[in-house]
Amino acid sequence: IETNTFSANREKLSKFGLESEVEAINRAGVSIARKAVGEDAYVVGAIGAIGGVRRNRPPSRIKKDYTQQIYALLDSGVDGLMLETFFDLEEMLLALEIAKKQSNLPVICQFAIDEIGRTQDGYSITDAFQSLVSHGADIVGFNCRSGPNGILRLMEKMDPLESVPYSVFPNAGMPDYVEGKFTYTATPQYFAENALRFADLGARLIGGCCGTTPEHIAAIAKAIHQYKPNPQRFIEETTEQAVHEAASVFINPVQALQEPVDVPNEPNLLELVKGRHTIIVELDPPRDLNISKFMLGCEALKNAGADAVTMADNSLAVTRMSNVALGYLAKQQFGIRPLLHLACRDRNLIGIQSHLMGLHALGMNHVLAITGDPVSNGDLPTASSVFDLTSTEVIRMIKQLNQGIAFSGKPLKEKANFIIGGALPNFKHIEKGVQRLEKKISAGADYIMTQLVYDHKQIEKLYECTRHLQVPVFVGIMPLTNGRNAEFLHNEAPGIQIPEDVRRRMANLTGEEGRQAGLEIARELIDTTMKYFHGIYLATPFLNYELTVELTQYVREKSN
């Protein structure tokens, strides 16, 4: 069991006026843990990162803070130390050096990184682990930032270390904010199944981080109680995707600017959806500087008949290429309509208005106002969240721009013409969700885009709950790619619920068999959606645009 001392260092406690209580708080944490478990469990002193990605603390100050905390934990009689939720190798090495100088007790070193597999100071996870081992780490591994699926994907790309075991402490999925509380959806059974996968990939210390409960830990313990190592690795089919990406033809963005497509005055989405089924397809902007596959997807979707490509604004708080730049390139080169998400998380009032004024100048007038995922989920978890406005307030302010009035109340010399959407992020409490939609519509929302849905009954209920609304609703559908993808979405993705019969159909399917089953399920959902709604919102999994191209063509054929 860990002590509850993750942030009990001078730097973190000073924010609460408790910097003089560092030793007392750490000693109390050890005492509480020891009393809770008695003599039948180890008590490990938890130590969290201090500097983080900003690196605005001098190493001498960080070293002094670690020395103070580590001394207090060791002097209180812990059985070992856990350095957890670290982002930088250099800071981890600094803390590890102090721990090893003060004691010979075991030290567990855990990073909180995403599946790209690099620390935020630029080291590959393999190099980072090897460096830690050479400096005396007894166990290395991962915790936080991700549910089981993200850590599994990362471990599948790695070879197990021969000298030390791995530790794995995932979150219970990504948090969802419902009724004033953060909730997690990963079930104990899901944790138990993934515990066996972690064990087969070399993990020998398995637990849980944010959102896990005693039931999750009990399920893990039961699953591995009679575990026998299985040499078979649980490897996701990534080769085909990697080959496809490597073979992609690079599209020069400068060429796109030099040879724009002549786009006539087309009706907006609101005008289209009044008369026929209208298709919005989401493509995630890339996390790197190569836009070739994204641009190929835009072209293919335009040719298939998509009415708009919608682009997220650093979804899941993960840094991606600007959707403004990509939207403009796609519009200029292929004549496809961009629909850009606008998150409240990253910009203050000045930045939001400036951003929107730029969109107006570029002729991109379809936007979706969203709150934005917590930065703690993303690749820069120590970044600041802004939230000057709520998504409803953003909608109201954009409507003000359409009247030619700035956020400050000053005239803008001309009027904008934004078509602004609102989101329905969760089907779990749909009645309350619709009440929030009514507020967004009162603020000026012109259309609604929903969370992904996999349940025919939910689609029917959505219709009954929204039929009184005077704006079109675009229903979110994303094809599943394999059985593990279905379990990940059900257990870890906020707001998504996948019925048991759908998960049963996808169970253990991989490769082309999994993709075809996912497409068939998506077509069935489209059939139901088209009975009740004109708006279809297709999400592209892992930038595999071939899947949403096929579904776009299906909608077009079915609606003709």
Side-chain angles (χ1 to χ4, degrees):
I1 186 172
E2 297 180 50
T3 59
N4 62 341
T5 55
F6 171 72
S7 293
N9 57 69
R10 182 185 180 281
E11 175 63 32
K12 299 292 178 66
L13 292 176
S14 67
K15 298 177 181 179
F16 308 96
L18 297 171
E19 60 270 27
S20 62
E21 303 294 329
V22 171
E23 293 191 13
I25 290 174
N26 280 278
R27 291 178 185 280
V30 177
S31 176
I32 291 168
R34 185 69 72 188
K35 289 178 181 177
V37 300
E39 297 300 322
D40 65 342
Y42 294 112
V43 172
V44 178
I47 301 166
I50 297 175
V53 67
R54 295 183 182 180
R55 303 182 182 88
N56 54 359
R57 309 285 190 278
S60 59
R61 176 71 261 180
I62 295 176
K63 187 173 183 178
K64 186 174 181 180
D65 289 349
Y66 279 134
T67 300
Q68 182 183 25
Q69 183 182 15
I70 290 172
Y71 172 79
L73 291 170
L74 291 172
D75 194 53
S76 300
V78 294
D79 300 306
L81 296 172
M82 177 179 284
L83 309 179
E84 61 176 349
T85 322
F86 276 67
F87 310 105
D88 293 0
L89 172 62
E90 297 296 336
E91 185 177 0
M92 176 84 85
L93 287 172
L94 191 154
L96 177 61
E97 178 186 4
I98 295 169
K100 284 298 180 181
K101 280 184 177 179
Q102 294 195 28
S103 169
N104 291 322
L105 291 178
V107 180
I108 304 161
C109 297
Q110 295 186 154
F111 285 110
I113 63 176
D114 59 25
E115 60 191 73
I116 290 178
R118 283 193 173 272
T119 64
Q120 289 184 347
D121 50 355
Y123 294 89
S124 73
I125 191 60
T126 299
D127 289 344
F129 280 168
Q130 289 174 346
S131 179
L132 289 170
V133 172
S134 69
H135 285 79
D138 298 282
I139 301 175
V140 294
F142 310 93
N143 77 288
C144 206
R145 291 288 297 283
S146 171
N149 186 71
I151 297 177
L152 275 172
R153 287 181 177 275
L154 179 54
M155 292 182 68
E156 286 166 346
K157 301 173 186 177
M158 303 169 54
D159 292 323
L161 296 174
E162 295 181 0
S163 53
V164 300
Y166 285 140
S167 62
V168 178
F169 285 59
N171 288 348
M174 292 174 285
D176 191 15
Y177 192 67
V178 179
E179 297 299 308
K181 294 192 299 184
F182 284 104
T183 60
Y184 294 79
T185 56
T187 65
Q189 179 59 31
Y190 179 69
F191 253 61
E193 293 167 357
N194 282 289
L196 297 176
R197 294 188 171 100
F198 286 133
D200 280 326
L201 291 169
R204 292 297 176 265
L205 182 62
I206 303 175
C209 201
C210 303
T212 52
T213 66
E215 289 75 23
H216 288 83
I217 304 304
I220 292 172
K222 183 178 179 181
I224 64 175
H225 179 63
Q226 295 181 323
Y227 170 77
K228 295 180 180 179
N230 183 350
Q232 182 179 1
R233 301 284 297 275
F234 291 81
I235 300 177
E236 192 73 11
E237 62 275 6
T238 56
T239 305
E240 179 182 344
Q241 181 177 348
V243 171
H244 179 84
E245 290 181 358
S248 296
V249 178
F250 178 70
I251 296 177
N252 188 341
V254 176
Q255 181 183 7
L257 291 173
Q258 292 173 341
E259 302 175 6
V261 171
D262 184 21
V263 184
N265 256 343
E266 292 185 343
N268 61 46
L269 288 178
L270 302 182
E271 295 166 335
L272 289 177
V273 79
K274 289 178 182 178
R276 63 170 174 81
H277 287 100
T278 302
I279 309 165
I280 296 170
V281 184
E282 181 171 329
L283 275 182
D284 279 336
R287 298 175 62 174
D288 50 40
L289 298 180
N290 187 341
I291 67 171
S292 55
K293 187 173 183 180
F294 179 89
M295 297 297 284
L296 288 170
C298 288
E299 181 179 26
L301 288 165
K302 172 66 175 179
N303 294 337
D307 295 296
V309 170
T310 180
M311 306 172 197
D313 188 13
N314 297 320
S315 59
L316 300 179
V318 172
T319 309
R320 295 179 180 272
M321 187 173 288
S322 163
N323 60 7
V324 177
L326 293 173
Y328 185 72
L329 291 175
K331 179 173 180 275
Q332 288 291 95
Q333 184 158 346
F334 307 121
I336 195 164
R337 180 186 289 103
L339 190 162
L340 306 183
H341 298 198
L342 175 61
C344 303
R345 177 193 59 233
D346 301 327
R347 304 174 186 87
N348 63 11
L349 274 166
I350 298 170
I352 290 176
Q353 180 175 320
S354 174
H355 185 74
L356 289 163
M357 292 170 74
L359 292 180
H360 173 76
L362 294 172
M364 296 190 289
N365 65 338
H366 287 73
V367 293
L368 174 73
I370 59 172
T371 300
D373 301 293
V375 296
S376 58
N377 292 350
D379 57 346
L380 295 172
T382 58
S384 297
S385 294
V386 182
F387 296 121
D388 272 2
L389 299 172
T390 66
S391 57
T392 301
E393 290 168 337
V394 168
I395 292 170
R396 185 177 295 110
M397 300 300 280
I398 293 175
K399 284 298 181 180
Q400 188 170 309
L401 298 182
N402 284 356
Q403 297 171 0
I405 302 172
F407 290 2
S408 64
K410 295 180 180 179
L412 291 172
K413 295 187 178 180
E414 63 180 78
K415 296 180 179 180
N417 62 338
F418 286 107
I419 309 297
I420 175 70
L424 176 64
N426 199 313
F427 279 94
K428 190 172 184 180
H429 305 285
I430 191 167
E431 291 86 356
K432 292 182 179 179
V434 171
Q435 290 175 8
R436 295 190 185 95
L437 289 183
E438 291 170 346
K439 294 179 181 178
K440 293 180 181 181
I441 293 169
S442 297
D446 298 303
Y447 64 93
I448 300 299
M449 291 173 63
T450 79
Q451 176 61 280
L452 302 178
V453 59
Y454 290 92
D455 189 335
H456 297 269
K457 292 181 180 178
Q458 282 187 336
I459 296 172
E460 295 168 0
K461 186 174 183 179
L462 176 67
Y463 172 72
E464 293 300 325
C465 291
T466 61
R467 61 190 304 180
H468 66 287
L469 301 180
Q470 300 302 309
V471 301
V473 176
F474 289 82
V475 180
I477 297 170
M478 184 176 76
L480 300 166
T481 57
N482 52 54
R484 205 168 93 180
N485 175 230
E487 291 302 316
F488 162 71
L489 290 173
H490 179 72
N491 284 281
E492 298 191 41
I496 297 179
Q497 296 173 294
I498 300 183
E500 186 176 348
D501 64 313
V502 173
R503 291 159 58 205
R504 191 182 304 117
R505 289 171 64 179
M506 294 298 300
N508 301 318
L509 296 183
T510 61
E512 186 60 26
E513 189 179 16
R515 284 186 284 273
Q516 289 304 316
L519 283 170
E520 182 60 29
I521 291 168
R523 284 190 286 265
E524 294 167 4
L525 292 166
I526 288 170
D527 290 344
T528 300
T529 299
M530 291 178 70
K531 293 178 184 178
Y532 300 100
F533 299 94
H534 272 187
I536 310 293
Y537 156 42
L538 302 175
T540 306
F542 313 117
L543 210 58
N544 289 324
Y545 60 81
E546 298 88 350
L547 300 177
T548 40
V549 163
E550 187 168 336
L551 293 177
T552 299
Q553 293 169 337
Y554 178 78
V555 176
R556 282 280 165 262
E557 293 167 1
K558 189 174 176 63
S559 59
N560 288 336

